[in-house]
């Protein structure tokens, strides 16, 4: 029997890496004829990524998945980039020769076997891999670990670029983006796209998507029907919605601080069902000390049980946020004492494990797409607090387009905005009191998440079409 190999080119962001690895597992579980080789870009500044890879590699020995760490390259020099996003894009471009060498070596080892390399699947910001695929005559697909609305923005950007008479940041009128049913304020666009360097990279990647054999996206039809229909045109490569792809175990399995995880889960075990609000702002999310104090005061005013994942900016360049060594220095005087038994303030947590717990009744979230999918899977309503990347667009979609979240803010920008304690109180009370349409719709979408991946579900069928394309091309 002929067997099929797929190579995955990854991005060293945890929010990009995890869904790619989980999709590789999902593909192999769906069709055992497949195996996967996952190419890893190492960032010494982010040791938690290596911890995750080591854990996944240790548990993947019997699932036809192997990880190859690409050689470390000389990092971009400060005169070559203006932001962490520019640094990341350049770093990935510099790996291109090593990507080609790794794939060439793989092809040589498989030339005498019954295994055939049928495709390369590359991260949304690793589009130089398309050149490698073309040189080696291998079909290349883009893996898009975000929303169909954001994909629509990226695909529309080359057209928008020809129409703009000023920079995006200077626009004073709403934008018509085909993947959104409603006009989109420029204040909701990713901060990266509002800067000259980031805009250039977005435009570059958006143009390159049209060269791919297809775009695999971590969403499903019942969640984003309007957006998916808008991007599924003859001008765009085939779209394969295969989500929701989730790591339902999460860091509970691989994070080094197991004792803290167990402490949190034991505390939640003692709380009544659906009474705890969970606050978490993502793998890169950290807030100013003044904003932290406003959240603390808001939590006290709301008088609800809570678990709050609180982290500070890393002192190392391009590193992920750190856990606070002293919470007392950043929180209001006496806050921890006054909230003893009512809430927990902690550092890095296994978010998906907490969202799965029966005690959780609401989620104040930065609106990263993985976090949104996890909350929908477990039927937990969100209050939106976007911080970076495309999260403002995600929040807008969840609140205004889909009616699946409650608004605290849609256009929050850390450093230029402050959500006051009364706003925090009001948002959390609304979230935890909402026996309304939002909670009902979230519970309904939770069921649809599961149906999409079942046999005859929309994502199950889409994956089948993708597999057929891979094995016959």
């Amino acid at each position: 029997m002929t067997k099929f190999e797929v190579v995955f080119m990854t991005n060293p962001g945890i929010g990009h890496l995890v869904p790619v690895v989980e999709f590789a597992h999902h593909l192999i579980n769906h069709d055992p004829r497949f195996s996967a080789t996952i190419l890893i870009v190492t960032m010494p500044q982010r040791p938690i990524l290596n911890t995750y890879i080591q854990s996944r590699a240790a548990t993947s020995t019997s699932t036809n998945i192997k990880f190859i760490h690409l050689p470390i390259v000389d990092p971009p020099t400060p005169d070559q980039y203006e932001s962490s996003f520019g640094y990341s894009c350049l770093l990935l471009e510099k790996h291109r020769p090593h990507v080609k060498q790794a794939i060439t070596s793989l092809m040589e080892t498989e030339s005498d076997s019954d295994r055939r390399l049928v495709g390369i699947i590359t991260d949304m910001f690793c589009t130089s891999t398309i050149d490698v695929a073309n040189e080696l005559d291998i079909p290349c697909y883009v893996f898009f670990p975000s929303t169909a609305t954001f994909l629509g923005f990226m695909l529309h950007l080359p057209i928008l670029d020809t129409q703009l008479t000023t920079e995006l940041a200077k626009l004073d009128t709403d934008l018509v983006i085909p993947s959104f049913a409603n006009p989109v304020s420029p204040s909701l666009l990713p901060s990266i796209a509002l800067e000259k360097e980031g805009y250039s990279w977005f435009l570059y990647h958006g143009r390159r998507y049209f060269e791919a054999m297809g775009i695999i996206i971590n969403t499903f039809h019942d969640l984003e029907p309007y957006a998916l229909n808008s991007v599924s045109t003859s001008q765009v490569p085939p779209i394969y919605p295969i989500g929701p792809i989730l790591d339902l175990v999460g860091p509970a399995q691989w994070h080094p601080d197991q004792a803290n995880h167990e402490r949190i889960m034991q505390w939640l075990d003692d709380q009544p069902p659906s009474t705890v609000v969970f606050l978490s702002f993502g793998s890169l999310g950290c807030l100013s000390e003044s904003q932290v104090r406003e959240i603390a005061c808001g939590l006290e005013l709301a008088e609800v049980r809570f678990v709050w994942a609180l982290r500070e900016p890393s002192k190392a360049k391009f590193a992920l946020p750190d856990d606070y060594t002293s919470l007392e220095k950043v929180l209001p005087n006496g806050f921890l004492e006054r909230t003893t038994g009512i809430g927990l303030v902690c550092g890095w947590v296994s978010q998906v494990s907490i969202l799965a717990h029966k005690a959780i009744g609401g989620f104040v979230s930065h609106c990263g797409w993985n976090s949104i999918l996890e909350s929908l899977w477990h039927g937990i309503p969100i209050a939106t607090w976007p911080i970076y990347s495309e999260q403002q667009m995600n929040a807008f979609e969840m609140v205004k387009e889909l009616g699946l979240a409650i608004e605290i803010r849609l256009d929050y920008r850390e450093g230029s905005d402050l959500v006051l304690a009364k706003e925090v109180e009001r948002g959390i009370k609304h979230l935890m009191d909402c026996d309304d349409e939002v909670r009902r719709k979230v519970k309904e979408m939770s069921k649809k998440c599961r149906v999409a991946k079942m046999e005859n579900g929309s994502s199950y069928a889409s994956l089948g079409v993708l597999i057929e394309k891979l094995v016959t091309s």
Side-chain angles (χ1 to χ4, degrees), residues 154-432:
M154 292 292 285
L155 293 169
H156 182 60
L157 201 54
I159 299 169
L160 183 63
D161 183 65
T162 65
Q163 301 169 344
L164 288 174
T165 56
T166 186
E167 297 172 21
L168 280 180
K170 296 178 180 177
L171 286 179
D172 57 4
T173 57
D174 289 352
L175 291 168
V176 175
I177 300 171
S179 54
F180 286 88
N182 298 288
V184 179
S185 166
S187 68
L188 299 170
L189 299 179
S191 297
I192 299 164
L194 300 178
E195 300 161 359
K196 187 175 180 181
E197 179 194 50
Y199 178 84
S200 296
W201 277 114
F202 269 34
L203 187 59
Y204 168 75
H205 292 304
R207 285 173 172 155
R208 301 231 60 186
Y209 294 166
F210 289 90
E211 303 172 42
M213 286 290 290
I215 300 170
I216 303 161
I217 183 167
N218 191 13
T219 189
F220 59 102
H221 195 270
D222 277 347
L223 178 56
E224 296 189 278
Y226 184 93
L228 283 170
N229 287 336
S230 79
V231 297
S232 300
T233 70
S234 58
Q235 288 78 40
V236 176
I239 307 292
Y240 301 96
I242 45 71
I245 299 295
L246 301 167
D247 176 10
L248 292 173
V249 176
Q253 187 179 56
W254 52 267
H255 194 273
D257 194 355
Q258 290 294 310
N260 186 50
H261 172 70
E262 290 171 10
R263 176 179 71 92
I264 295 166
M265 300 310 287
Q266 287 170 3
W267 185 84
L268 286 171
D269 288 344
D270 294 333
Q271 310 309 313
S274 302
T275 59
V276 178
V277 63
F278 176 43
L279 300 89
S280 179
F281 298 95
S283 58
L284 294 172
C286 44
L287 301 166
S288 66
E289 291 190 8
S290 56
Q291 185 61 79
V292 167
R293 286 190 287 273
E294 293 294 332
I295 292 174
C297 293
L299 282 168
E300 285 197 85
L301 290 170
E303 298 181 320
V304 296
R305 295 174 173 86
F306 65 88
V307 172
W308 181 8
L310 178 59
R311 311 183 78 211
E312 67 173 337
S314 173
K315 296 172 180 63
K317 203 169 188 180
F318 306 130
L320 297 176
D322 297 317
D323 293 354
Y324 279 97
T325 52
S326 174
L327 289 168
E328 287 82 359
K329 288 183 179 179
V330 67
L331 292 167
N333 288 336
F335 175 81
L336 294 174
E337 291 77 13
R338 290 191 300 274
T339 56
T340 298
I342 299 169
L344 288 180
V345 183
C346 48
W348 181 287
V349 294
S350 175
Q351 177 174 286
V352 72
S353 303
I354 292 175
L355 289 171
H357 199 285
K358 61 179 175 53
I360 300 299
F363 181 25
V364 177
S365 172
H366 65 304
C367 298
W369 189 234
N370 293 325
S371 296
I372 288 173
L373 291 177
E374 288 169 5
S375 69
L376 291 176
W377 181 271
H378 292 295
I380 305 298
I382 282 177
T384 61
W385 193 321
I387 299 178
Y388 55 91
S389 193
E390 86 288 11
Q391 292 162 10
Q392 288 80 10
M393 295 175 85
N394 295 352
F396 177 76
E397 179 182 17
M398 287 291 287
V399 173
K400 302 296 186 182
E401 301 264 309
L402 305 179
L404 287 170
I406 287 160
E407 176 182 349
I408 291 180
R409 285 289 179 90
L410 298 182
D411 57 356
Y412 178 84
R413 307 279 178 182
E414 174 60 17
S416 62
D417 208 352
L418 191 68
V419 181
L420 299 177
K422 290 299 290 183
E423 291 180 80
V424 176
E425 175 198 12
R426 187 163 57 247
I428 288 175
K429 280 185 172 178
H430 185 189
L431 175 67
M432 298 305 287

Side-chain angles (χ1 to χ4, degrees), residues 69 114 257 383 396 454:
H69 287 264
D114 62 351
D257 194 355
F396 177 76
M454 293 177 182

